[in-house]
Amino acid sequence: MNTASLLVFDGLLLLSIVSLAWASLATRDERRSVILFMAFGLVLAMAWGRLLAPDVALAEAAIGAGLSGALLLAAVRKQPRPLSSGSTRGSRYLDGAQVRTVSRWGVTLLCAALAGALAWALLHAFNNAPQDALHRSISANLEASGVSNPVTAVLLNFRAYDTLLELAVLLTAVLGIISLGQTTTGYTPAGPVFEGLVRWLVPILILTAGYLLWVGAHAPGGAFQAGATLAAAGVVLRLAGRRIIGLPDGFMLRIVMVAGIGVFLLVGLTVLVLGRPFLDYPPAWAGALILMIETAAMLSIAATLLLAFVGGQPRSMPARAVANQQHEEMS
Amino acid sequence: MLTAQLLYGLTGCVIVALGLRGALLHPSLLQRVVAINVMGAGVFMMLIAIAYRGPDLPPDPVPQALVLTGIVVAVSATALALALARRLHVEQGND
């Protein structure tokens, strides 16, 4: 493709990205806003593909657009009359939010100023920063990382610490969600057409998850994309009105939730005992260790994302939490 | 500096500002969560633009890995925010 037509493509893509972002925030209809946001995420995934970031494109399509969209849509569903009913106004719409026009303009101006400052910093970075120093040292050490996909190498070897903490963030978020209340009510059983689709879709999603996990070592893919795809299979089952959506029960669920961070820590501490720095795998074992961590991480990510979609403490968990008791007294 | 880097990077700045304005001013709690996600997408776009180094060179994997981490953290934060909003709704006696 020549430069001019690529420029036209870039222009159209960026125009649709900005307009979708604008439209999803300009509307007062929450459902419309969420659907526009999902479209925004999908177009964004195209932009990541255009900028040679296929790993990010996969994650954006599966997590950014897909699961975030499912979470937001489920939240819209839970409170079906946000605009029409006067009595619910106080809860969904902040009381102090009817901001005066003056401060509205002030905020807009400040945001524009922030955009300007960011642009200045970005231009400064483009002009002055050494662009390929980091990249060169990564390609020099890629051999020793155990995988040949540089993004996976960064995520699970060179900067494994970040990914370990990221799994901790995910676990913390889901613990917060669980302690905030019970799961929401399920969906009505699907009709024959959707049911037929579910029978095709769920096995394909599970198979795709396994493929993405395996292929992540040398091509775009990895634990996060795989985990999100696996979670999507559960989301589809729940939307179809199934009561069993692939989440294990009780104690087993707790094990699966902490499996990712647990295996990660175990590997890190084992190499520490063997006299290497924390999470510095021996090159001969790196490939196998990364696959092991990624498999556990995939299961944890899928379970936590699915729990987030289910939206609270599963009924199979013994109701011991204090927050939960309070919740039941409340309602 | 590449044209594509510049175009996508500057669009990222615009999206951050759009998202921030929405997060500060929007009357609906749910749409504030959407706005924060939009803001995050702007930051991701700046990082991916920094990672891009033209069609002939392989892109820098470090910012790309950062964005992957960011996407997962964003969805966790979104899920927690929505759970908090739902609880708030219950506490205010609207359920």
Side-chain angles (χ1 to χ4, degrees), chain B residues 1 6 13 20 25-26 29-30 42 44 52 72 87 90-91:
Chain B
M1 194 194 328
L6 195 66
C13 302
L20 181 62
L25 290 179
H26 218 291
L29 267 185
L30 187 112
F44 298 157
Y52 185 66
V72 177
R87 184 62 187 263
V90 172
E91 298 286 325

Side-chain angles (χ1 to χ4, degrees), chain A residues 10 22 25 27 30 33 50 52-53 59 79 91-92 108 122-123 127 132 135 138 166 170 180 182 311, chain B residues 1 6 8-9 18 21 26-29 31 52-53 59 61-62 64 68-69 72 76 86-87 89 92 94:
Chain A
D10 283 342
W22 175 271
L25 296 179
T27 177
E30 290 180 338
S33 168
R50 154 74 180 90
L52 305 181
Q79 293 131 335
S91 66
R92 305 218 72 190
T108 309
L122 198 68
L123 289 179
N127 285 326
D132 54 355
H135 183 258
I138 283 173
E166 172 189 3
L170 203 59
L180 279 168
Q182 286 279 353
Chain B
M1 194 194 328
L6 195 66
Y8 283 87
L18 258 178
R21 183 183 179 276
H26 218 291
S28 149
L29 267 185
Q31 278 180 275
Y52 185 66
R53 303 184 312 149
V62 178
Q64 292 194 357
L68 262 178
T69 309
V72 177
S76 323
R86 190 175 130 221
R87 184 62 187 263
H89 193 71
Q92 287 172 336
N94 288 305

Side-chain angles (χ1 to χ4, degrees), chain A:
Chain A
M1 208 189 273
N2 62 38
T3 327
S5 56
L6 201 57
L7 207 61
V8 172
F9 175 76
D10 283 342
L12 288 175
L13 196 62
L14 291 174
L15 194 67
S16 46
I17 287 174
V18 174
S19 353
L20 281 171
W22 175 271
S24 106
L25 296 179
T27 177
R28 286 295 172 102
D29 179 348
E30 290 180 338
R31 180 177 291 269
R32 177 187 295 246
S33 168
V34 171
I35 292 169
L36 283 167
F37 173 72
M38 289 167 83
F40 169 75
L42 287 176
V43 180
L44 216 52
M46 277 209 276
W48 304 157
R50 154 74 180 90
L51 293 177
L52 305 181
D55 293 272
V56 184
L58 280 173
E60 180 74 45
I63 305 176
L67 278 172
S68 295
L71 284 169
L72 288 162
L73 272 183
V76 175
R77 162 187 175 255
K78 274 167 216 152
Q79 293 131 335
R81 289 173 290 116
L83 273 172
S84 55
S85 163
S87 62
T88 56
R89 240 187 125 69
S91 66
R92 305 218 72 190
Y93 293 85
L94 302 181
D95 290 331
Q98 298 305 333
V99 194
R100 278 180 303 142
T101 324
V102 183
S103 26
R104 192 166 271 275
W105 275 102
V107 170
T108 309
L109 269 179
L110 281 177
C111 290
L114 177 78
L118 280 176
W120 177 80
L122 198 68
L123 289 179
H124 190 74
F126 281 152
N127 285 326
N128 300 326
Q131 286 258 336
D132 54 355
L134 206 52
H135 183 258
R136 222 174 273 159
S137 59
I138 283 173
S139 26
N141 290 302
L142 197 57
E143 284 279 292
S145 75
V147 290
S148 59
N149 175 6
V151 178
T152 306
V154 172
L155 276 176
L156 282 136
N157 197 332
F158 302 139
R159 297 202 59 91
Y161 203 64
D162 288 2
T163 309
L164 176 70
L165 293 179
E166 172 189 3
L167 289 175
V169 169
L170 203 59
L171 185 63
T172 313
V174 87
L175 288 179
I177 292 167
I178 286 177
S179 54
L180 279 168
Q182 286 279 353
T183 53
T184 50
T185 47
Y187 290 71
T188 47
V193 177
F194 188 31
E195 189 58 41
L197 180 72
V198 168
R199 287 191 187 166
W200 276 98
L201 210 53
V202 170
I204 290 176
L205 281 170
I206 294 172
L207 205 62
T208 311
Y211 170 74
L212 283 172
L213 176 72
W214 177 255
V215 87
H218 52 88
F224 294 105
Q225 295 89 339
T229 314
L230 204 55
V235 170
V236 169
L237 282 175
R238 184 166 164 82
L239 288 177
R242 301 285 178 90
R243 307 195 74 194
I244 297 163
I245 55 172
L247 275 179
D249 279 344
F251 189 65
M252 199 56 208
L253 181 60
R254 289 166 200 248
I255 301 256
V256 171
M257 272 166 64
V258 298
I261 195 164
V263 170
F264 218 141
L265 268 180
L266 209 63
V267 169
L269 293 175
T270 310
V271 295
L272 197 65
V273 170
L274 294 177
R276 301 178 69 92
F278 184 60
L279 286 174
D280 181 11
Y281 326 126
W285 287 87
L289 288 177
I290 287 178
L291 186 64
M292 201 168 87
I293 294 171
E294 282 206 300
T295 310
M298 175 188 77
L299 293 175
S300 289
I301 292 164
T304 38
L305 290 176
L306 195 51
L307 272 175
F309 179 70
V310 171
Q313 180 170 26
R315 295 185 205 282
S316 62
M317 268 190 183
R320 258 177 281 172
V322 180
N324 187 47
Q325 282 164 9
Q326 284 173 350
H327 180 71
E328 270 166 9
E329 280 159 24
M330 280 284 315
S331 51

